[in-house]
């Protein structure tokens, strides 16, 4: 029986667990997040602080993985900057006003109770406060560090005051006005919406209609139509096509284009006016053929100007409508004549303004028809459904008895929806407050010149959104928000706003609180400036009920900062949201001569980073309706992956009557904690949409468990004596590989390309660390002097991991061996500078520059030997690589010279029992495997893998012993010294 030599080996010893222990998670988060943030405030320079300004998440509901993607990206950037020696500032914020929270708050009131605005606000504030606390705890559980105690919300009094001051500055610059203009209106939310609050549905179905309006007979008296009067018997009808029949009661004009050709055609007994190019389309729609029509006359659109027509919906006493020219009329769709409702269309409003045609609005806040929609019998349309629930059919029902509806058809097209209620919106003219974007948008675009974008495509996207805007509707008709600081005459509704009024309102809010705006008596004089006290004598006034757009809220958050942020980082949808509103408000503030103190003009951000949306494993966008929303805790607890296999055991102590019963154990999942979530973020190319699912997370778990295995091995195998042991060639190669990898990873992290750093780290682990160095080191580590460079490798490895998996790094530090704990000179991995040396250069015994040139030769030979060994292993000739010897046949002199420099260490580098160069091979070996090796695709020599030449050493298992069961010389010396 052979002797056991295990007691003489340096086997790994570490307390580091194979998987994170949940009872220590909070401790590690405290240390690697909260404590680290405070540490860097004290120990990193304060004159070069790197600032990430938080795009505030909405304080409503639970977090999903998209929130985790955003917050963890920010956190990794901060950690990289700390490693680079900079101080960081990250003050998290929350967006708390707006409709979703208000609606949730209203739901909490008993049915039948109509809460006052003050009661709604109090309930909404309580709800938002709870959600902020809940979301903050979730964010902190991801290992995200921040100045949590200084967190801000848009409902903070100080924030609201700053926001009102910004409004004041913009009013002073002439950028704020109140006007009756069309805006996007949500009947389901009963408020105006900004473009950023819309989402477009590509498969919306409208009931489009072809409708005819009779021209008045005045056309017959015009000289330009003398030649037609006798040819046309009966009325002439102007044919229009509309996808919004509900707007027909608000029609005030029909538009043509001066340069298009129009025809009057006879179809049956009807005379129809239509664009020449659309005749065939019209006839096909109304069920006729070209043989059924007669073209009576053809003329340019300019001849139709000023003709009048009758809209039966407007009542018997209504003024006729006019035909006008509009540049937007084309031959691409419809009839070539466009129904114009200036109260329900942006282009319609603009063209009617030039003709002094006032807008008419035929629906109320809920999208239901008003009495003006059908004055002759108001109740008919007032009892109809809202316009988003089919009200348009009732309008057409009033026209059908007159034969004015030629056709109704289903029409699928892109249409805007309220992003909150997921219901269609309309365009409706109302009295709203507007910020003039048109006069500052060139300055806003110019402010982006010194901003860098990741990805670069974000620049054009943001610029296009800004260039496409003329004005911004900043008012909303809800209670939960910051009030527009204006007064109104009670009788007329006219606004009373001036710098004095705004200043008086802000001062009153500072003294009385913002809720007093809703709770004070309507005519409380304390809200009036002294200069306008006489206003009370001329008639009663009221405070306005409009609140500011939530994008104005969050868009003013840059006022919290002392200067410009280094980074804004949010989802790609924020180009038309927070990025845009932040840029516009800051540029607008800079337009004021008396702007804020120490104001640094320009964009609020120096770098703009956008990430994509999170998709499920099938590439579908996550939504509650599809049931595919993934929450961060599901990633952290491992429940998205199959449960772990449990050891089989006998749960039935009573083997009698309970013999056949089986007790099912609850499933146990592989919970790897916040680092699993963070590593998924780090591995993802966030500049595109990011997929998450079981297959993706399985790969993340594999990588994370590999990291833990390596950390455990490094902690358990690093010896204090290795600090003074001589460095082998393999050690030098390992340091070169590590330095190269750290440079690549650090460069990727500095460029915000974490996924590239993640990939580079994994390549190093697979190709250089595991497959090469750790294999080459095992013999020396366990059987020899225990030397090597495991401590520098551990140091470098933890530095690379620190931004991605900070809990793992903290856990590794807490499990460092006793000799490391005693060494007070060691710096915590989270406190280290990334570029600090990982090893004392004085320990090198070889020139790294020269050696770097040799590595391709060594690695090429190594690969060829491994290939030969794999073949031998496949043929069951060897198990361990040590069961072989190698002969190198090299005719290329430079290659031979390189290998001869390392001849004494080649067997250790290649993990075989012996290596010889250019010696004759045995004449009839038991087996052999020959492989070519190449450098830069040029064959430089051959390797021959052969059986070992000596006996197996029972201690180190190398085949270098003189006889069977005898120790090799090295092992004899080591054992004798112990």
């Amino acid at each position: 029986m052979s002797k056991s030599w295990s007691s003489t080996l340096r086997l790994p010893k570490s307390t580091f667990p194979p998987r994170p222990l949940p009872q220590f998670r909070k401790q590690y988060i405290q240390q690697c997040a909260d404590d680290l943030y405070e540490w860097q405030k004290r120990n990193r320079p304060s004159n070069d602080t790197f600032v990430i300004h938080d795009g505030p998440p909405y304080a409503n509901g639970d977090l999903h993985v998209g929130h985790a993607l955003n917050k963890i990206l920010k956190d990794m950037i901060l950690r990289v900057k700390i490693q680079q020696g900079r101080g960081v500032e990250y003050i998290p914020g929350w967006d708390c006003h707006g409709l979703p929270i208000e609606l949730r708050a209203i739901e909490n009131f008993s049915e039948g109770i109509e809460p006052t605005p003050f009661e709604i606000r109090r309930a909404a504030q309580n709800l938002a406060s709870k959600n902020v606390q809940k979301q903050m705890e979730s964010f902190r559980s991801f290992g995200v560090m921040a100045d949590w105690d200084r967190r801000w919300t848009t409902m903070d009094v100080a924030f609201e005051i700053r926001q009102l001051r910004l409004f004041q500055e913009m009013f002073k610059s002439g950028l704020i006005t109140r006007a009756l203009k069309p805006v996007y209106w949500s009947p389901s939310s009963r408020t105006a919406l900004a473009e950023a609050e819309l989402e477009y549905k590509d498969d919306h179905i409208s009931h489009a209609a072809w409708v005819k309006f009779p021209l008045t007979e005045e056309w017959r008296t015009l000289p330009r139509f003398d030649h037609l009067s006798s040819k046309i018997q009966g009325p002439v009808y102007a044919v229009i096509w509309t996808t919004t029949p509900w707007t027909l009661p608000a029609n005030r004009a029909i538009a043509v284009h001066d340069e298009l050709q129009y025809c009057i055609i006879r179809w049956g007994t009807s005379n129809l006016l239509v664009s020449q190019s659309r005749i065939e389309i019209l006839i096909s729609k109304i069920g006729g053929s070209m043989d059924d029509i007669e073209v009576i006359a053809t003329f340019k659109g300019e001849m139709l100007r000023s003709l009048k027509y009758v809209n039966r919906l407007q009542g018997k006493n209504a003024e006729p409508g006019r035909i006008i020219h509009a540049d937007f009329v084309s031959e691409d769709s419809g009839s070539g004549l466009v129904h114009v409702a200036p109260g329900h269309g942006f282009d319609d409003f603009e063209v009617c303004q030039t003709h002094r045609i006032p807008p008419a609005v035929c629906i109320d806040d809920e999208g239901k028809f008003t009495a003006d929609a059908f004055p002759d019998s108001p109740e008919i349309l007032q009892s109809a459904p809202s316009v988003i629930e089919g009200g348009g059919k009732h309008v057409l029902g009033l026209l059908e008895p007159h034969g004015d509806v030629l056709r109704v058809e289903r029409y699928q097209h892109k249409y805007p929806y309220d992003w909150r209620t997921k219901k269609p919106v309309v365009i409706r003219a109302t009295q709203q407050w507007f910020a003039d974007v048109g006069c500052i948008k060139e300055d806003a675009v110019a402010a982006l010149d010194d901003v860098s974008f990741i990805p670069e495509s974000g620049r054009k996207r943001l610029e296009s959104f800004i260039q496409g805007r003329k004005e911004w509707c900043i008012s909303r008709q809800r209670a939960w928000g910051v009030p527009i600081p204006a007064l109104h005459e009670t009788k007329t509704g006219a606004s009373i706003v001036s710098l004095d009024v705004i200043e008086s309102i802000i001062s009153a809010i500072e003294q009385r609180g913002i809720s007093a705006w809703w709770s004070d008596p309507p005519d409380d004089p304390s809200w009036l400036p002294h200069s306008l006290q006489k206003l009370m004598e001329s008639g009663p006034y009221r405070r306005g009920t409009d609140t500011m757009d939530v994008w104005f809220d969050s868009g003013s958050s840059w006022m919290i900062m002392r200067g410009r942020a280094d980074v804004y980082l949010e989802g790609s949808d924020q180009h038309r949201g927070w990025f845009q509103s932040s840029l516009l408000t800051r540029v607008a503030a800079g337009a004021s001569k008396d702007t804020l103190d120490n104001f640094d003009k320009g964009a609020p951000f120096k770098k703009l980073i956008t990430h994509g949306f999170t998709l499920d494993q099938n590439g579908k966008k996550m939504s509650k309706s599809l049931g595919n929303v993934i929450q961060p805790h599901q990633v952290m607890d491992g429940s998205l992956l199959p449960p772990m296999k449990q050891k089989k055991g006998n749960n039935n102590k009573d083997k009698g009557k309970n013999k056949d019963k089986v007790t099912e154990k609850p499933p146990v999942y592989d919970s790897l904690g916040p680092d699993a979530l963070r590593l998924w973020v780090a591995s993802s190319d966030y500049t595109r949409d990011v997929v998450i699912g079981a297959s993706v997370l399985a790969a993340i778990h594999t990588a994370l468990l590999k990291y833990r295995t390596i950390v455990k091995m490094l902690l358990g195998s690093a010896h204090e004596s290795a600090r003074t042991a001589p460095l082998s060639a393999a050690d030098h190669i390992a340091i070169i590989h590590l330095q190269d990898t750290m440079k690549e990873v650090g460069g990727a992290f500095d460029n915000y390309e974490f996924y590239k750093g993640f990939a580079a780290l994994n390549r190093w682990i697979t190709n250089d660390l595991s497959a090469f160095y750790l294999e080459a080191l095992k013999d020396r580590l366990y059987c020899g002097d225990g030397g090597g460079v495991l401590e520098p490798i551990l140091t470098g490895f933890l530095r690379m991991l620190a931004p991605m998996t900070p809990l793992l790094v903290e856990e590794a530090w807490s499990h460092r061996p006793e000799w490391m704990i005693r060494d007070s000179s060691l710096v915590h991995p989270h406190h280290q500078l990334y570029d600090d040396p990982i090893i004392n250069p004085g320990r090198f015994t070889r020139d790294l520059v020269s050696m770097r040139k040799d590595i391709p030769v060594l690695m090429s030979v190594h690969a060829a030997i491994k290939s030969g060994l794999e073949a031998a292993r496949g043929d069951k000739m060897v198990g361990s690589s040590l069961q072989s010897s190698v002969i190198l046949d090299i005719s290329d002199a430079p290659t031979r010279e390189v290998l001869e420099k390392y001849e004494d260490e080649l067997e250790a580098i290649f993990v075989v029992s012996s290596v010889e160069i250019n010696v004759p091979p045995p004449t009839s070996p038991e087996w052999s495997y020959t492989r070519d090796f190449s450098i830069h695709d040029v064959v430089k020599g051959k390797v021959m893998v052969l059986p070992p030449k000596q006996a197996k050493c029972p201690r180190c298992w190398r085949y270098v012993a003189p006889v069977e069961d005898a120790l090799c010389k090295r092992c004899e010396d080591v054992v004798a010294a112990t």
Side-chain angles (χ1 to χ4, degrees):
M1 184 175 179
S2 61
K3 180 179 178 180
S4 172
W5 299 99
S6 60
S7 63
T8 68
L9 303 179
R10 296 173 182 265
L11 298 177
K13 296 178 182 179
S14 174
T15 59
F16 187 81
R19 283 172 169 77
L21 302 177
Q23 63 266 35
F24 295 111
R25 182 181 297 176
K26 286 187 177 180
Q27 172 190 328
Y28 292 148
I29 288 176
Q30 173 70 38
Q31 292 169 336
C32 74
D34 300 341
D35 292 352
L36 177 59
Y37 191 87
E38 291 303 313
W39 176 89
Q40 64 85 26
K41 285 166 65 176
R42 298 189 304 270
N43 293 277
R44 290 291 189 252
S46 59
N47 60 351
D48 186 28
T49 303
F50 183 92
V51 177
I52 293 182
H53 184 53
D54 204 19
Y58 197 59
N60 186 33
D62 295 326
L63 301 180
H64 53 73
V65 288
H67 291 104
L69 174 70
N70 179 269
K71 278 290 191 287
I72 291 171
L73 282 172
K74 293 172 182 173
D75 186 70
M76 291 194 298
I77 292 172
L78 294 173
R79 292 176 183 275
V80 168
K81 295 305 171 183
I82 291 174
Q83 285 186 321
Q84 293 174 350
R86 298 186 67 178
V88 300
E89 180 179 274
Y90 176 52
I91 306 173
W94 274 267
D95 197 353
C96 294
H97 293 134
L99 186 64
I101 291 176
E102 181 171 339
L103 294 179
R104 286 275 302 276
I106 292 174
E107 289 173 1
N108 294 330
F109 288 92
S110 301
E111 190 175 351
I113 293 179
E114 286 291 333
T116 65
F118 178 78
E119 291 170 332
I120 292 172
R121 289 180 57 81
R122 183 169 55 190
Q125 184 175 23
N126 290 336
L127 178 61
S129 297
K130 291 178 181 177
N131 284 331
V132 167
Q133 191 64 36
K134 183 179 179 181
Q135 289 185 3
M136 181 174 69
E137 290 173 2
S138 294
F139 285 136
R140 297 180 84 161
S141 74
F142 306 160
V144 172
M145 62 177 181
D147 205 334
W148 298 106
D149 292 338
R150 292 174 60 202
R151 64 187 178 274
W152 56 268
T153 73
T154 57
M155 63 182 179
D156 294 340
V157 174
F159 189 100
E160 292 171 329
I161 294 297
R162 280 192 292 263
Q163 182 176 331
L164 289 166
R165 290 293 180 196
L166 175 61
F167 180 95
Q168 186 180 37
E169 290 293 329
M170 292 175 66
F171 181 84
K172 186 188 300 183
S173 300
L175 298 175
I176 302 292
T177 56
R178 186 172 187 258
L180 176 67
K181 292 183 179 181
V183 295
Y184 288 111
W185 184 271
S186 172
S188 55
S189 297
R190 302 191 307 281
T191 185
L193 298 178
E195 174 73 31
E197 296 171 294
L198 306 176
E199 57 186 24
Y200 286 85
K201 189 175 179 182
D202 292 327
D203 58 353
H204 177 81
I205 299 295
S206 291
H207 289 87
W210 296 78
V211 177
K212 61 181 185 178
F213 289 98
L215 302 184
T216 65
E217 290 297 298
E218 289 182 18
W219 71 269
R220 296 181 184 274
T221 66
L222 301 176
R224 62 181 182 271
F225 295 118
D226 284 345
H227 63 293
L228 291 179
S229 184
S230 60
K231 292 182 181 181
I232 300 175
Q233 304 300 314
V236 175
Y237 294 90
V239 178
I240 63 93
W241 175 76
T242 179
T243 60
T244 54
W246 63 266
T247 63
L248 292 173
N251 170 274
R252 289 298 181 268
I254 291 176
V256 297
H257 196 287
D258 286 349
E259 299 303 317
L260 295 184
Q261 294 291 324
Y262 291 86
C263 296
I264 296 176
I265 63 173
R266 182 175 291 121
W267 178 65
T269 59
S270 296
N271 301 306
L272 306 179
L273 175 62
V274 64
S275 168
Q276 185 180 43
S277 64
R278 304 299 292 177
I279 293 174
E280 190 170 348
I281 295 294
L282 171 64
I283 296 304
S284 68
K285 292 291 185 181
I286 60 181
S289 69
M290 294 300 289
D291 295 335
D292 298 331
I293 68 164
E294 176 188 356
V295 177
I296 301 173
T298 302
F299 36 76
K300 276 191 171 184
E302 61 185 357
M303 290 184 64
L304 299 174
R305 283 201 189 205
S306 301
L307 296 188
K308 296 180 180 180
Y309 66 94
V310 174
N311 183 349
R312 304 182 199 277
L313 298 169
Q314 292 173 5
K316 298 173 183 177
N317 300 320
E319 291 289 325
R322 279 190 288 154
I323 294 181
I324 61 176
H325 163 80
D327 290 334
F328 57 73
V329 177
S330 74
E331 299 176 300
D332 296 334
S333 63
S335 64
L337 293 90
V338 177
H339 144 62
V340 177
H344 296 289
F346 299 117
D347 292 336
D348 301 33
F349 179 83
E350 293 294 336
V351 73
C352 285
Q353 285 289 98
T354 64
H355 292 277
R356 296 186 179 180
I357 299 173
V361 178
C362 62
I363 58 172
D364 62 15
D365 290 357
E366 296 180 346
K368 293 189 174 182
F369 292 106
T370 64
D372 295 333
F374 192 49
D376 288 351
S377 299
E379 69 284 353
I380 294 178
L381 288 182
Q382 284 184 296
S383 62
S386 76
V387 299
I388 65 171
E389 296 172 338
K393 294 180 181 178
H394 291 255
V395 172
L396 296 175
L398 295 173
L399 296 174
E400 284 171 346
H402 302 280
D404 291 342
V405 180
L406 299 175
R407 177 180 171 85
V408 179
E409 58 191 2
R410 286 171 58 87
Y411 179 68
Q412 181 175 313
H413 61 124
K414 189 176 183 179
Y415 193 84
Y417 276 60
D418 184 329
W419 72 336
R420 297 184 182 95
T421 64
K422 310 301 180 184
K423 293 185 178 181
V425 303
V426 298
I427 297 173
R428 178 184 180 228
T430 57
Q431 287 283 352
Q432 299 289 345
W433 294 90
F434 295 90
D436 185 351
V437 175
C439 68
I440 62 169
K441 64 183 179 182
E442 294 304 324
D443 290 338
V445 171
L448 299 177
D449 288 346
D450 66 345
V451 175
S452 58
F453 286 76
I454 299 177
E456 180 59 32
S457 58
R459 181 185 303 276
K460 287 187 177 179
R461 182 171 167 83
L462 181 55
E463 286 178 351
S464 67
F465 280 123
I466 294 170
Q467 293 283 19
R469 296 189 76 167
K470 293 181 180 178
E471 55 195 12
W472 171 13
C473 178
I474 63 169
S475 51
R476 298 293 181 269
Q477 288 64 54
R478 306 302 303 186
W480 180 227
V482 177
I484 300 282
L487 307 174
H488 298 265
E489 293 181 1
T490 302
K491 291 183 180 179
T492 66
S495 61
I496 306 167
V497 62
S498 65
L499 290 176
D500 286 345
V501 168
I502 296 173
E503 183 60 41
S504 177
I505 291 171
I506 294 175
S507 296
I509 289 174
E510 288 178 322
Q511 296 172 14
R512 304 158 70 86
I514 203 163
S515 291
W517 180 264
W518 282 271
S519 61
D520 281 0
D523 56 352
D524 191 319
S526 60
W527 295 92
L528 279 175
H530 294 296
S531 60
L532 294 180
Q533 289 293 333
K534 293 183 179 179
L535 184 67
M536 292 293 291
E537 301 172 7
S538 61
Y541 79 97
R542 63 174 177 82
R543 296 183 299 280
T545 56
D546 290 343
T547 53
M548 292 192 204
D549 176 14
V550 291
W551 292 114
F552 197 98
D553 289 12
S554 59
S556 65
S557 64
W558 55 264
M559 300 180 74
I560 294 172
M561 301 185 295
R562 291 184 293 273
R564 299 170 65 192
D566 290 277
V567 165
Y568 270 35
L569 187 159
E570 299 300 328
S572 56
D573 56 334
Q574 297 307 315
H575 288 113
R576 67 184 186 124
W578 185 60
F579 294 155
Q580 187 180 166
S581 65
S582 299
L583 176 63
L584 292 174
T585 54
R586 200 170 196 279
V587 171
S592 173
K593 293 181 181 179
D594 303 319
T595 195
L596 310 168
D597 293 337
N598 301 319
F599 185 78
D600 181 14
K601 289 189 177 183
F605 36 76
K606 299 173 185 176
K607 186 181 294 291
L608 197 63
I609 305 176
T610 51
H611 60 76
F613 295 103
T614 50
L615 309 177
D616 68 14
Q617 60 188 3
N618 298 316
K620 293 183 178 179
K621 187 178 177 181
M622 294 184 187
S623 69
K624 291 182 180 178
S625 60
L626 292 176
N628 63 347
V629 175
I630 293 176
Q631 295 182 330
H633 71 80
Q634 294 175 283
V635 180
M636 294 192 290
D637 64 23
S639 60
L640 293 172
L641 295 175
M644 299 174 68
K645 292 181 180 180
Q646 300 186 50
K647 294 180 180 179
K648 294 181 180 180
N650 187 0
N651 296 320
N652 300 305
K653 295 181 180 179
D654 185 349
K655 296 185 179 180
K657 64 179 181 179
N658 294 326
K659 184 177 180 180
D660 297 328
K661 291 185 178 180
V662 177
T663 303
E664 288 290 335
K665 292 182 179 180
V668 177
Y669 296 97
D670 196 4
S671 174
L672 297 183
D675 283 337
L677 180 66
R678 297 178 64 94
L679 202 59
W680 162 71
V681 174
S683 70
S684 302
D685 181 358
Y686 61 84
T687 61
R688 306 174 181 179
D689 289 341
V690 179
V691 174
I692 184 170
S695 59
V696 173
L697 293 176
I700 294 301
H701 271 228
T702 299
L704 189 50
L705 289 173
K706 180 71 170 177
Y707 298 166
R708 296 188 67 85
T709 300
I710 291 172
V711 167
K712 183 176 179 66
M713 185 269 177
L714 296 175
L715 288 171
S717 300
H719 304 297
E720 188 174 12
S721 60
R723 289 177 169 180
T724 55
L727 298 186
S728 67
D731 295 335
H732 286 79
I733 293 171
I735 292 296
I736 291 172
H737 283 159
L738 176 60
Q739 289 176 336
D740 290 349
T741 302
M742 289 187 69
K743 182 178 180 181
E744 184 177 359
V745 171
F749 286 179
D750 190 45
N751 290 328
Y752 309 95
E753 296 174 318
F754 298 101
Y755 64 98
K756 290 185 178 179
F758 169 79
L761 175 65
N762 289 340
R763 284 195 302 272
W764 170 72
I765 288 173
T766 302
N767 300 332
D768 299 333
L769 183 62
S770 297
F772 172 69
Y773 183 63
L774 294 184
E775 284 297 315
L777 183 65
K778 279 181 182 178
D779 176 67
R780 181 186 183 192
L781 189 63
Y782 301 152
C783 304
D785 64 0
V789 288
L790 292 188
E791 184 183 1
I793 286 175
L794 175 64
T795 300
F797 186 36
L798 294 183
R799 281 186 199 171
M800 291 186 282
L801 288 178
M804 299 187 292
T805 58
L807 274 77
L808 170 56
V809 172
E810 192 68 47
E811 187 181 8
W813 181 250
S814 70
H815 285 275
R816 66 195 187 277
E818 282 296 326
W819 61 271
M820 283 189 179
I821 294 175
R822 292 193 301 268
D823 187 350
S824 59
S825 68
L826 289 180
V827 178
H828 192 294
H830 286 309
H831 300 168
Q832 294 173 16
L833 293 175
Y834 190 83
D835 290 335
D836 275 353
I838 55 174
I839 187 171
N840 181 358
R843 294 188 62 195
F844 295 134
T845 56
R846 294 178 182 268
D847 177 45
L848 296 190
V849 175
S850 174
M851 195 170 188
R852 190 183 301 276
K853 298 175 183 178
D854 297 341
I855 287 178
V857 174
L858 294 169
M859 293 299 104
S860 179
V861 174
H862 183 253
I865 293 172
K866 285 188 70 174
S867 175
L869 284 168
E870 285 301 315
R873 196 172 284 115
D875 293 339
K876 301 188 184 304
M877 295 298 161
V878 299
S880 165
S881 63
L882 294 174
Q883 292 176 274
S884 67
S885 62
V886 172
I887 293 177
L888 303 180
D889 181 9
I890 306 165
S891 58
D892 182 68
T895 303
R896 185 182 67 250
E897 290 171 3
V898 168
L899 291 166
E900 286 174 345
K901 282 195 289 185
Y902 306 97
E903 191 166 6
D904 292 343
E905 299 186 54
L906 290 180
E907 65 270 11
I909 293 174
F910 300 143
V911 198
V912 295
S913 288
S914 68
V915 178
E916 295 174 289
I917 300 174
N918 288 350
V919 300
T923 54
S924 55
E926 183 181 348
W927 51 263
S928 69
Y929 295 88
T930 302
R931 294 291 187 271
D932 292 335
F933 68 90
S934 303
I935 312 294
H936 304 306
D937 297 326
V938 177
V939 175
K940 298 294 185 180
K942 295 181 179 181
V943 303
M944 183 178 293
V945 181
L946 300 160
K949 298 169 64 177
Q950 293 182 274
K952 179 181 179 181
C953 173
R955 181 173 179 271
C956 68
W957 294 6
R958 294 180 303 156
Y959 284 73
V960 291
V963 293
E964 196 74 23
D965 290 334
L967 294 181
C968 66
K969 180 66 169 62
R970 192 272 315 270
C971 286
E972 279 186 350
D973 293 342
V974 171
V975 171
T978 57

